[in-house]
Amino acid sequence: MQARMTNPAYVLSGAMKGIGTLFQAIGEGGLAQDVAEIVGLRASQINGCGACVHGHVANLRKAGVSEERISAVAAWRHAPFFSDAERAALKLTEAMTRLSDLSGESVPDALWDEVADHFDERELSALILTVSVTNMFNRINTTIQEPAGTTWG
């Protein structure tokens, strides 16, 4: 399987510079890397982005996250392997990713309060940007049909 085209972030040189700057800022937020990868994996599962699912799973394995935690991300509500903070982050991820399923606020106050109980403003900023950037990459990769197993950089 081959992508329809080169990733647009590589085609337009300024895009990679902007993405790099955004990732640098996210890194300054203090969000735990395993939380960032777990929410990235969940958003990518929802969006059907094979390239990103593969990448997040590889990153989680490299970070030493257990296979039972990795395999349970898709069914996190029914798995005992996640902390309350991770559950709040996963709920926020799903709310931010499933905008087309809305019947009310995208992030209701109760969810916001729950997430804010676990993350300070910098971590919350990094979390929101991580989910947002993941959704952007999911949309790029599914559009150009980027295959799973692709490596970047």
Side-chain angles (χ1 to χ4, degrees):
M1 183 175 212
Q2 188 172 353
R4 289 177 168 156
M5 65 175 281
T6 302
N7 190 299
Y10 290 117
V11 173
L12 303 175
S13 61
M16 281 307 292
K17 183 177 181 180
I19 290 166
T21 301
L22 188 54
F23 276 125
Q24 181 179 359
I26 290 169
E28 295 168 3
L31 183 66
Q33 188 61 36
D34 59 334
V35 173
E37 294 295 341
I38 287 169
V39 300
L41 175 56
R42 185 65 191 123
S44 299
Q45 289 170 335
I46 292 166
N47 289 323
C49 181
C52 289
V53 166
H54 180 85
H56 289 294
V57 167
N59 290 344
L60 285 162
R61 285 182 178 142
K62 193 182 306 181
V65 175
S66 71
E67 288 297 322
E68 67 184 0
R69 276 175 50 86
I70 294 170
S71 64
V73 169
W76 64 269
R77 284 182 176 79
H78 308 287
F81 313 121
F82 303 98
S83 69
D84 290 342
E86 290 167 333
R87 291 177 181 284
L90 285 161
K91 285 181 196 175
L92 179 65
T93 299
E94 290 186 359
M96 290 177 63
T97 302
R98 291 188 160 133
L99 294 177
S100 66
D101 296 343
L102 292 178
S103 60
E105 293 290 324
S106 61
V107 177
D109 289 340
L111 173 54
W112 181 261
D113 293 343
E114 180 181 354
V115 176
D117 285 345
H118 296 285
F119 300 95
D120 66 25
E121 189 172 38
R122 292 179 65 78
E123 293 168 323
L124 189 52
S125 296
L127 176 60
I128 292 166
L129 289 171
T130 296
V131 174
S132 299
V133 168
T134 301
N135 276 285
M136 176 189 76
F137 281 123
N138 293 164
R139 282 153 178 77
I140 292 168
N141 290 332
T142 59
T143 299
I144 66 169
Q145 296 182 351
E146 192 78 69
T150 300
T151 55
W152 299 277

